[in-house]
Amino acid sequence: MDPLEKVIGNMTRDVVRKARLGGERTGDIESLLSSMEADKHIASSDVLVDMAHLIMLTKQQIVHEEHAQPLMKELLTMYELGVPAEAFDPSYEDIHAGIETVLTNRTGGDVGGRLHIGRSRNDEVATCLRIRTRDIILEQLEALIRLRTVLLTVAEEHVHTIMPGFTHLQHAQPVTLAHHLLAYEQMFSRDYDRLCDAFNRVNCSPLGSAALASTGYPLDRAYTAELLGCDKILINSMDAVASRDFAAETLACDTLLLANISRFCEELIIWSSSFVQFVTLDDQYCSTSSIMPQKKNPDVAEILRSRVGTLLGAFVSAITIVKGLPMAYNRDLQDLNPHLWRGITEVRRDIDVLCGMIKTAQFHRERMAQEAGRGGTTTTELADMLVRDFDIPFRTAHHIVGKAVRDGSLDLPTLDKAAEEFYGRTLSSLGITPEKVQHALAVTTSLSVRKLPGGPAPQSVQTALAERQKELEKDTNFVSEKKRQISASLDKLLTQARRIANI
């Protein structure tokens, strides 16, 4: 028997622990230290990292191909068929030890014991976390593109759908549904931008930093980064293994994203109520009551509205874990990972559910139009007309119209009375007619004059739609190119892996 195999056979199944430490752990201790549940998210990434590291060790002639070949065959099997269940045995501290133990058991100690040359679990796990987070961010970016596409599509159908705009949930000024939807599209485009920025800081390779002080082996860190599709390496080895700001940043970006989703859902809930009746949500996004047969409740929107609480909790937990840690690696960081996955793994789903809910919603044009002019929503334009056409100071015009509203009418006699009080003369004496007052108070007038960039006038909305479509195309191309680059890198990795495995 190979001496190394004999040693391995005398050890417990975890190849990492027993040479240095004796004694058996209780189940409670194993449960406390084990990260297996969270590591399910990075098992496939670990296999990629193992392959990239082994390819590099072979290229640098640190591991000879006679040892690399059987190891690579097993790694390719794991890549194609999945990490075997035995690697997830809870007696292992983590998936990294589990995979290494399985590989050692299958290839022998003289072979399996060479994979970890020049590497620590510290740089290994940091790399795996970044790769998985990178992939999730790309999924979220694609979902945001789908959501923004739907918003632009629906907005294009409602450029002339008039509705009231609100402040403080009170009727404010007339807008259009297209203008309202474009407001959310712009919010979600900023969420997209934040995640893009985060992606650039996530997609970096810590591999080769080892435990904290790098290694004396002649590793090629840039090569492993290239194989894994990372944009660059993290230079400082201590920072590379000890920093989790990339995780906190991703959670922060997703928290803001879910807060924006929550705001939209709040409006859909209000709009779908019998009081407002601006929208009817498709049945698949609603539930009924177990006792009241008439009920159609916007349950999906309500659950989406609540999701930001989960994200915020995960972010606060993550930032609290790292805030007091000394440099470099500390085991506390392991406890951050469940919060990361709890926070970010379901965001893509949330975006797509909202996307479907908007796409299938029926917006009620007539009902929106009924409310567009109520509550004095056009009185601002009346005051602006007094300023624009008759050179009355705006604050005076504001007082005149406000007093008329208080007195209960916006007809010319009421306005004249208010004008005498605040301006010293009547509006009639200035040549203002009832027709001019009614024209200023018309919803269409209020909309048509607000044609500045970003305003609700139909022509401004059409311009905004074209601009937002161009921005969306640019963002779509960015994601496609990033995915292409990563895919090309992983293809190169697999080609090199199969060459070494002689497959």
Side-chain angles (χ1 to χ4, degrees), residues 3 118 131 187 204 210 230-231 236 255 279 289 301 310 317 328 371 416 480:
I131 288 174
M187 288 170 64
C204 306
C230 296
D231 294 326
N236 186 282
T255 299
V279 67
S289 166
T310 298
S317 296
E371 292 293 327
D416 276 343
S480 297

Side-chain angles (χ1 to χ4, degrees), residues 364-429:
H364 304 309
R365 290 178 168 89
E366 291 184 5
R367 176 69 187 126
M368 288 180 168
Q370 286 176 359
E371 292 293 327
R374 289 184 180 173
T377 60
T378 58
T379 54
T380 300
E381 178 53 29
L382 176 57
D384 287 342
M385 182 268 288
L386 300 179
V387 175
R388 247 189 340 258
D389 298 346
F390 299 94
D391 199 30
I392 296 175
F394 175 77
R395 187 54 59 204
T396 302
H398 186 279
H399 290 334
I400 292 169
V401 176
K403 182 62 165 59
V405 170
R406 183 179 179 182
D407 290 342
S409 177
L410 287 170
D411 59 16
L412 188 55
T414 308
L415 289 166
D416 276 343
K417 181 180 177 182
E420 282 187 304
E421 179 178 348
F422 291 101
Y423 191 52
R425 56 189 299 189
T426 66
L427 299 183
S428 300
S429 68

Side-chain angles (χ1 to χ4, degrees), residues 66 68 78 81 110 113 120 206 212 273 305 387 397 404 426 432:
E66 63 182 282
M78 287 188 184
L81 301 181
D110 190 43
S120 164
L212 81 160
S273 70
R305 183 176 59 181
V387 175
T426 66
I432 297 176

